[in-house]
Each structure stands twice: as C-alpha cells, then as structure tokens.
Amino acid sequence: MPSSSNDAFPLPPAMRAALDAAAAAGRAGEVPVGAIVTLAGEIVATGANAPRGLCDPTAHAEIVAIRAAARALGRDRLEDCDLWVTLEPCAMCAGAIAHARIRRLYYGADDAKGGAVAHGPRFFGQPTCHHRPEVYAGIGEGEAAALLRAFFTERR
C-alpha cells in the first residue's frame, strides 16, 4: 500500500476540503471525520460524520459522501471516482468503498483501534473482497490526528 505521510507539502484541495468537513463535524459534536468524493479532480460530494445528528449509526463521513456522490452522478458505481477521508475507514466504510467501486482511496490518520484498511481485518486484502481501490495513506495525517486528539481531549 503506497503511503505519503508528509504534512510539509501543501495538501491537495480535496484533502483540505475533507479536513474542513471534519472540523465542522467536530464543532457539531460529532467525531471529526470528513470525506470528499472527486471525479476527474473535481469535488462532487462532501460528507462529514453525522451519526448523532442524523440518529443513524451508518452516517459515517465516507457513507455520507458516497451516497451524495451516487445521487449527484445518478449511478451506483463510482469506478472513476476517488475518495479522500481524514481517518482510516472502518470495516463498514471499507465495504461501502468496495461496493461503490471507488477507484482510489486517500486517507489521513491511521486508526489502529477501528480501522479496517491497514489495521484490523485489512478488508481490501481479503479474498472475499470483490473490488480493491488503490490506497494512499498519510495524506494530511498530522492535521487529521490533531483534530481527533483535540476532540477527545475536550470530552475527557
């Protein structure tokens, strides 16, 4: 799995937008995770964690963004789209990424406890996974991790 963990370089606009969505989620009392779907480099959908606000345990940022992109593009397969997310996706979100046929996944911070891409079940490496996106980890990792640390420190 390729990795690019250098916050010294300017972030791609999609990851900057995902971080902004994550910060907005945190201000709303949700765990600060944001996600962006792009097509040909253009943002087509934005998602932010909203399980509490929507009373929906599946309203993770990735799911919200994938659903919005599918609606905006009028199709269920997003094989030419990329997903940018601030935190390593969980198993549920990895499953949604595979089912949507996302082309590339870019994520910021690792999630050793709940992640399912580089940690835990390593979803995309399972023989039962029908689609494996290209995965690039560590994009905006420092800022994404700082948002999460500040959110949880404030709640303790």
Side-chain angles (χ1 to χ4, degrees):
M1 173 173 31
S3 180
S4 175
S5 181
N6 190 339
D7 288 349
F9 294 102
L11 289 175
M15 186 55 84
R16 169 57 43 216
L19 287 161
D20 291 345
R27 289 190 298 275
E30 303 280 359
V31 175
V33 179
I36 299 293
V37 175
T38 60
L39 173 63
E42 298 297 318
I43 294 173
V44 295
T46 301
N49 262 5
R52 291 184 176 172
L54 295 176
C55 299
D56 178 357
T58 69
H60 289 197
E62 300 94 323
I63 304 285
V64 172
I66 288 169
R67 287 176 177 161
R71 277 192 307 273
L73 298 172
R75 54 193 165 104
D76 64 330
R77 299 283 174 101
L78 304 174
E79 63 273 334
D80 48 356
C81 293
D82 299 334
L83 178 67
W84 301 75
V85 63
T86 59
L87 182 65
E88 177 184 351
C90 69
M92 175 182 69
C93 292
I97 290 164
H99 282 282
R101 307 294 197 267
I102 295 291
R103 179 178 60 170
R104 291 185 196 109
L105 167 65
Y106 299 90
Y107 73 86
D110 282 336
D111 185 354
K113 184 177 178 184
V117 176
H119 298 89
R122 300 176 192 244
F123 188 88
F124 301 125
Q126 298 302 314
T128 54
C129 180
H130 299 291
H131 172 76
R132 293 165 181 84
E134 293 176 33
V135 177
Y136 300 90
I139 313 295
E141 179 179 21
E143 191 171 341
L147 280 171
L148 290 159
R149 273 193 306 276
F151 178 83
F152 288 111
T153 296
E154 190 175 295
R155 273 144 189 80
R156 290 187 181 127

